[in-house]
Amino acid sequence: MDIKLKKTVSMPIYEQIMMQIQEKIVNGNLESGQMLPSMRVLARDLEVSIITTKRAYEELEKLGYVVMVAGKGCYVSEKKPETFQTIYRKELANNIKSMMQQAKNSGISYEDFLNEVKEQGGKVYD
């Protein structure tokens, strides 16, 4: 599985793994019912601890993106692509609300917050 980790960013490795798998599911690059690499194989390929991949898979399962079957592996949930998009948007909205509250608590104006979003968005979408 093509996952790129950035060890220099503040985001935990398990979250980076989780977000990239989420993206692949939402975009249809991973299809319903498709088996994901085992935690051990993914950990070896990414050169991270198996605990890291286990946490990423567990979080994805909590969110409904994957289903873990004891002794058989981890599979993309059988939900329809629109359902994944809905889940992802709700999660995104919650993250934005949290970031806005942090900005407000830090004394950052709404306009400055939006400017920062635009600046960072330009870097991500390029």
Side-chain angles (χ1 to χ4, degrees):
M1 182 175 302
D2 184 32
I3 294 178
K4 306 269 189 277
L5 299 178
K6 296 178 182 174
K7 298 186 181 187
T8 58
V9 298
S10 62
M11 181 185 291
I13 299 295
Y14 83 91
E15 283 185 22
Q16 292 181 50
I17 295 168
M18 197 177 100
M19 289 183 69
Q20 289 181 51
I21 292 173
Q22 276 179 317
E23 183 180 308
K24 290 176 188 312
I25 292 170
V26 171
N27 291 336
N29 295 331
L30 290 173
E31 297 178 2
S32 294
Q34 186 173 343
M35 185 176 184
L36 299 180
S38 73
M39 292 177 212
R40 193 175 312 278
V41 167
L42 186 60
R44 185 193 66 222
D45 290 349
L46 298 177
E47 298 178 350
V48 298
S49 163
I50 191 168
I51 295 167
T52 302
T53 56
K54 183 176 191 285
R55 180 149 185 213
Y57 279 13
E58 286 173 345
E59 293 295 323
L60 286 167
E61 184 176 41
K62 284 180 196 173
L63 294 170
Y65 287 94
V66 301
V67 176
M68 290 196 282
V69 181
K72 296 202 177 203
C74 186
Y75 299 85
V76 176
S77 176
E78 293 289 339
K79 295 178 180 174
K80 295 180 181 176
E82 309 84 56
T83 306
F84 289 125
Q85 194 68 246
T86 302
I87 293 169
Y88 198 72
R89 284 182 182 271
K90 284 181 185 176
E91 195 176 323
L92 180 62
N94 288 335
N95 288 338
I96 291 169
K97 286 176 189 173
S98 175
M99 288 171 33
M100 289 177 76
Q101 189 61 52
Q102 288 176 349
K104 183 179 178 182
N105 293 345
S106 299
I108 297 171
S109 72
Y110 180 69
E111 291 76 22
D112 287 345
F113 176 81
L114 287 178
N115 287 334
E116 186 65 29
V117 169
K118 287 177 185 175
E119 183 179 321
Q120 295 304 318
K123 294 176 186 176
V124 171
Y125 281 96
D126 284 345

